[in-house]
Amino acid sequence: MGTVIMHSVASVDGFIADENDGVGPLHDWYFSGDVPITGDRDGQYDHSGSGSGFRVSSASAEYVRPMWQEIGTIVMGRHMFDLMNGWEGQPPTGDHVVVVSHRPKPEGWHPEASYHFVDDVKAAIDKAQELAGERTVAVNAGEVGGQILAAGLVDEVAIDVVPVVFGSGKRYFGSIDGQHLLEDPHVVIQGGRVLHLRFRVRPS
């Protein structure tokens, strides 16, 4: 099975959004560089400068591009699904999405999309790994991500730290209780207006 990575962009003080789900400048670095992250299905990248897709610094692209290409399944909470309307059935990366929710998929919503709704975090990871095979399972940070980490189901934590202080809002780890030790970061990359960090979760 592939690695389970909890991932999101966060402020220096550990928030992924404000109280109203606004992200402010957290995602600006995704659109402020010269190098595209994603290409077409044949892996070809548009270097002409046209289009409005993700374009980051070269340092960020060297880190983010292979990471995104390895993702097979995204795991997200229902709040984010509703907020984004599930990216209209087309996630930014990966082939499948698992939504942790006590409510089913909205009736008639993009029946062609590989989105699966489960009501338990362990069941969500089991389904995500089944769908991903040897590829990575990417868990969105926040309340659901914190629950998955607390359940001992996360292998690595990846944080893209942006130089802004929010002061309050939605926390990267949600309302997780207790201490959870991580190893020293095995990835430390400085991009344009972002610092990429990855930590392996220390077994309890």
Side-chain angles (χ1 to χ4, degrees), residues 3-7 67 136-139 154-158 198:
T3 303
V4 178
I5 301 178
M6 182 177 175
H7 175 242
M67 182 181 180
T136 298
V137 172
V139 175
V154 172
D155 300 311
E156 295 186 21
V157 171
R198 278 176 69 170

Side-chain angles (χ1 to χ4, degrees), residues 72-97:
T73 307
I74 293 174
V75 178
M76 66 194 307
R78 183 58 180 256
H79 179 72
M80 185 172 178
F81 173 85
D82 289 341
L83 191 68
M84 306 293 295
N85 197 29
W87 299 294
E88 298 297 342
Q90 297 183 333
T93 185
D95 298 318
H96 314 278
V97 174

Side-chain angles (χ1 to χ4, degrees), residues 10-180:
S11 64
V12 171
D13 53 344
F15 294 99
I16 58 175
D18 64 22
E19 292 92 339
N20 300 313
D21 296 308
V23 296
L26 287 181
H27 295 171
D28 288 357
W29 65 275
Y30 276 127
F31 308 98
S32 62
D34 300 320
V35 183
I37 297 176
T38 55
D40 60 25
R41 287 296 182 183
D42 296 323
Q44 300 299 311
Y45 294 89
D46 175 14
H47 294 275
S48 66
S50 62
S52 59
F54 298 107
R55 306 187 74 83
V56 299
S57 68
S58 59
S60 289
E62 289 177 8
Y63 166 68
V64 175
R65 187 184 289 165
M67 182 181 180
W68 281 24
Q69 289 173 340
E70 281 297 312
I71 293 171
T73 307
I74 293 174
V75 178
M76 66 194 307
R78 183 58 180 256
H79 179 72
M80 185 172 178
F81 173 85
D82 289 341
L83 191 68
M84 306 293 295
N85 197 29
W87 299 294
E88 298 297 342
Q90 297 183 333
T93 185
D95 298 318
H96 314 278
V97 174
V98 175
V99 182
V100 181
S101 174
H102 294 296
R103 291 176 287 141
K105 181 164 66 173
E107 187 175 352
W109 184 88
H110 294 285
E112 78 288 353
S114 181
Y115 279 57
H116 307 264
F117 287 63
V118 298
D119 62 2
D120 174 79
V121 294
K122 185 179 186 307
I125 295 300
D126 288 345
K127 184 63 176 179
Q129 289 184 315
E130 174 192 331
L131 293 166
E134 296 300 316
R135 298 174 72 191
T136 298
V137 172
V139 175
N140 285 341
E143 288 296 334
V144 166
Q147 292 171 24
I148 293 171
L149 176 69
L153 301 173
V154 172
D155 300 311
E156 295 186 21
V157 171
I159 307 176
D160 300 320
V161 182
V162 172
V164 60
V165 176
F166 269 34
S168 63
K170 307 295 179 67
R171 295 185 178 278
Y172 181 96
F173 293 101
S175 53
I176 190 172
D177 290 326
Q179 294 186 358
H180 301 269

